[in-house]
Amino acid sequence: MKKQNITLGIIIGNRDFFPDKLVSEARIEVLKMLGEQGIRAIILDETATKLGGVETYTDARKCADLFKKHKDDIAGVLVVLPNFGDERGIADTLHLADLKVPVLIQGYPDELNKLNVANRRDSWCGKISVCNNLYQYGIKYSITTKHVVHPTDPSFLADLKQFLGVCRVVKGMKNVRIGAIGARPTAFNTVRYSEKILQKNGISVVTCDLSEILGYANKLDKSDQRVKDHLEKIHNYASTGKTPSESLIQMAKLDVVLNDFMTENQLDANAIQCWTSLQQNFGCNVCTSSSMFSEGMIPSACEVDVTGTLSMYAMQLASGSPSALVDWNNNYADDDEKCVLFHCGNWAKSFLPDIEISNAPILGTTVGVENTYGALDGRTPASPLTFGRISTDDTRGIMKAYVGDGQLTDDELKTFGNRAVAKIPNLQGLMKHICKNGFEHHVVMNASHTSEALKEAFENYMGWEVYHHEG
């Protein structure tokens, strides 16, 4: 398991008629395991309560006060049950702390030859009681794959890794700010969304007219030091191929202004008008800038697809790696479980080992190829795949999403732009779900298998309607 830079609150449950040594041993084991994973633990001192465990209401108050002091840091809570534990103490702690973060319940397994009074745990039963109380309190929680499991078991380490992804998504999606730059292209009704539903879920949209961005960019001179700096950044980012120097300067000017807008408004992601105003009114594609943003962990989508870039941001949080906005674009010959993912294209270069700045031939047929430089060309090789999409269902007033896992393959694909071949179990069933439920033609991909974490975060903790495609 990769080391994680994250902080968890730790509650060690206890019940007075079980052996004290079980609590002491669990504390040592759990803190050692968390330390090895680079996870910071906020936990009661051993002298604050009996063995640093939580049992009584007084213990709960002390633990809750400790958690409140670290409220801004704690991304989730791990409840450890070395024995049956006191379900009221754990529930009271979480209720009083009111952190509103994900909670993972772990219980230690008993050993068949240690079911005597001096060694038995009864965590199997205690975990059910803890979950029952949290359910009564209305506190959301997650459970491990195995009902009881030792904290060093590979199964638990996998559960913990997934839980940390859940924590990052839930914390990161609170108060996220997205820049919507320009108007939605008229031909793209598919990317319409509700700002009000997003705001209700803590997601703010900051708008800006594309003419303002282009106006500021046009006022910049190629001799401006900032333009030179961003031009150098573009050259360092990707091969420029046959892209004319004039187009590269245009791209640099645009990149300067977009970065200013993002910084001034403290934005986490953006969605930019592209097709076809940018080409007609400024003379280049924004793809290179979008790619650089996404590679720098600031997701950037085209066609003002705000919920598309929100999906990119969520997947980035879950995996710790960049995401890309793609089209569900083509069938792959007669293989019912494969399809072509495509954009013209703005994918982060993490997806494009052969990245080159080029033009957009399809768009060029209407606006002139010379006005489409800045699009990227490159093929994504085989890798794990998580795919998904967040959407506002405006007629029902809800947030909804679908997520799933598959594989990107090295199958032959002769075309241009940003391209990949995806293999997804029961792909035809997935397409039926997307079409029947009114999802967009854009989907987001990430080189990971994190759909379980996304589902848990969206559905359990954020209250969204989620379809998890499992083939």
Side-chain angles (χ1 to χ4, degrees):
M1 178 176 164
K2 184 180 178 181
K3 288 191 175 184
Q4 306 285 332
N5 182 21
I6 200 166
T7 299
L8 296 181
I10 312 298
I11 301 173
I12 299 183
N14 191 19
R15 205 157 203 167
D16 58 4
F17 46 78
F18 287 90
D20 288 345
K21 68 175 183 177
L22 299 178
V23 176
S24 299
E25 290 171 355
R27 181 187 184 93
I28 293 170
E29 290 170 343
V30 168
L31 291 180
K32 181 175 183 292
M33 179 273 296
L34 294 174
E36 290 172 347
Q37 307 306 327
I39 299 168
R40 180 187 177 209
I42 303 298
I43 185 172
L44 281 170
D45 189 86
E46 288 180 282
T47 61
T49 63
K50 182 182 179 182
L51 305 173
V54 173
E55 183 175 2
T56 67
Y57 186 71
T58 299
D59 296 343
R61 289 285 299 268
K62 289 181 179 179
C63 191
D65 288 344
L66 175 66
F67 285 177
K68 286 179 181 178
K69 290 179 182 177
H70 299 274
K71 187 172 185 177
D72 292 340
D73 298 323
I74 293 174
V77 174
L78 172 62
V79 175
V80 178
L81 298 176
N83 59 39
F84 191 100
D86 189 286
E87 65 266 26
R88 294 172 305 169
I90 292 167
D92 285 338
T93 299
L94 293 168
H95 174 70
L96 292 168
D98 193 31
L99 299 177
K100 293 182 174 60
V101 297
V103 177
L104 180 63
I105 314 296
Q106 176 268 344
Y108 269 76
D110 271 303
E111 298 176 54
L112 276 180
N113 62 347
K114 293 183 179 181
L115 289 177
N116 51 23
V117 175
N119 293 287
R120 71 182 295 141
R121 298 178 182 275
D122 292 4
S123 303
W124 183 285
C125 189
K127 180 175 177 178
I128 299 171
S129 296
V130 168
C131 293
N132 173 272
N133 274 258
L134 297 186
Y135 187 89
Q136 291 185 46
Y137 277 60
I139 297 170
K140 300 296 184 181
Y141 54 92
S142 301
I143 55 178
T144 52
T145 301
K146 295 179 181 179
H147 184 61
V148 290
V149 60
H150 196 276
T152 59
D153 187 279
S155 170
F156 178 73
L157 293 177
D159 289 335
L160 181 61
K161 180 180 180 181
Q162 178 177 304
F163 179 69
L164 297 178
V166 173
C167 293
R168 289 193 300 269
V169 173
V170 173
K171 184 176 183 178
M173 296 288 272
K174 292 178 181 177
N175 304 314
V176 61
R177 291 169 57 82
I178 299 174
I181 302 168
R184 170 188 58 79
T186 301
F188 284 84
N189 273 4
T190 184
V191 298
R192 290 196 286 190
Y193 67 97
S194 169
E195 279 194 50
K196 292 181 179 179
I197 294 174
L198 290 179
Q199 193 67 70
K200 186 178 179 181
N201 285 271
I203 301 157
S204 300
V205 179
V206 178
T207 62
C208 178
D209 196 280
L210 183 62
S211 65
E212 296 179 31
I213 298 295
L214 301 187
Y216 288 129
N218 278 320
K219 290 179 182 178
L220 293 173
D221 189 86
K222 66 180 181 181
S223 61
D224 189 301
Q225 186 58 49
R226 296 179 67 214
V227 175
K228 291 180 179 179
D229 291 343
H230 282 251
L231 182 60
E232 182 180 5
K233 183 175 78 168
I234 291 169
H235 277 287
N236 291 336
Y237 184 73
S239 168
T240 58
K242 298 180 181 179
T243 304
S245 58
E246 295 80 6
S247 297
L248 291 170
I249 292 170
Q250 286 292 90
M251 292 156 53
K253 291 179 179 180
L254 183 61
D255 195 56
V256 168
V257 179
L258 289 174
N259 275 273
D260 284 349
F261 175 72
M262 297 295 292
T263 301
E264 290 166 5
N265 291 282
Q266 300 180 49
L267 301 175
D268 302 295
N270 64 51
I272 305 171
Q273 181 180 355
C274 176
W275 201 291
T276 57
S277 180
L278 192 61
Q279 293 76 18
Q280 291 176 323
N281 295 298
F282 194 66
C284 73
N285 268 35
V286 73
C287 302
T288 299
S289 287
S290 290
S291 177
M292 291 191 292
F293 276 124
S294 295
E295 184 71 16
M297 305 298 272
I298 300 174
S300 180
C302 51
E303 293 148 13
V304 202
D305 188 353
V306 167
T307 51
T309 202
L310 178 65
S311 307
M312 294 171 70
Y313 188 64
M315 285 196 189
Q316 172 184 296
L317 291 168
S319 68
S321 63
S323 304
L325 188 77
V326 312
D327 283 349
W328 289 116
N329 213 71
N330 312 90
N331 58 292
Y332 189 81
D334 58 356
D335 192 324
D336 288 341
E337 290 200 332
K338 292 180 181 177
C339 67
V340 175
L341 305 177
F342 175 83
H343 239 153
C344 54
N346 61 351
W347 302 354
K349 73 174 180 179
S350 291
F351 294 96
L352 307 170
D354 57 344
I355 187 172
E356 181 177 280
I357 299 173
S358 185
N359 53 46
I362 296 176
L363 184 56
T365 61
T366 58
V367 300
V369 172
E370 69 278 5
N371 293 313
T372 68
Y373 282 102
L376 299 175
D377 187 83
R379 167 67 195 268
T380 302
S383 74
L385 168 66
T386 289
F387 60 85
R389 173 81 201 192
I390 299 168
S391 182
T392 60
D393 192 325
D394 301 10
T395 57
R396 297 167 61 206
I398 65 165
M399 298 287 295
K400 66 180 183 182
Y402 68 86
V403 292
D405 294 325
Q407 295 289 332
L408 296 177
T409 75
D410 284 328
D411 289 296
E412 183 181 11
L413 182 62
K414 295 180 180 178
T415 187
F416 50 85
N418 292 173
R419 54 206 184 269
V421 176
K423 180 177 175 61
I424 298 169
N426 189 20
L427 176 61
Q428 302 305 311
L430 173 63
M431 291 300 108
K432 287 179 182 177
H433 180 85
I434 289 170
C435 291
K436 286 185 176 181
N437 289 276
F439 281 101
E440 298 82 349
H441 72 292
H442 286 165
V443 64
V444 171
M445 69 174 183
N446 190 278
S448 65
H449 281 157
T450 51
S451 68
E452 289 278 2
L454 291 161
K455 175 183 182 294
E456 180 77 357
F458 294 164
E459 187 175 66
N460 189 18
Y461 293 103
M462 300 168 73
W464 297 354
E465 183 178 283
V466 181
Y467 168 70
H468 186 216
H469 183 73
E470 299 184 76

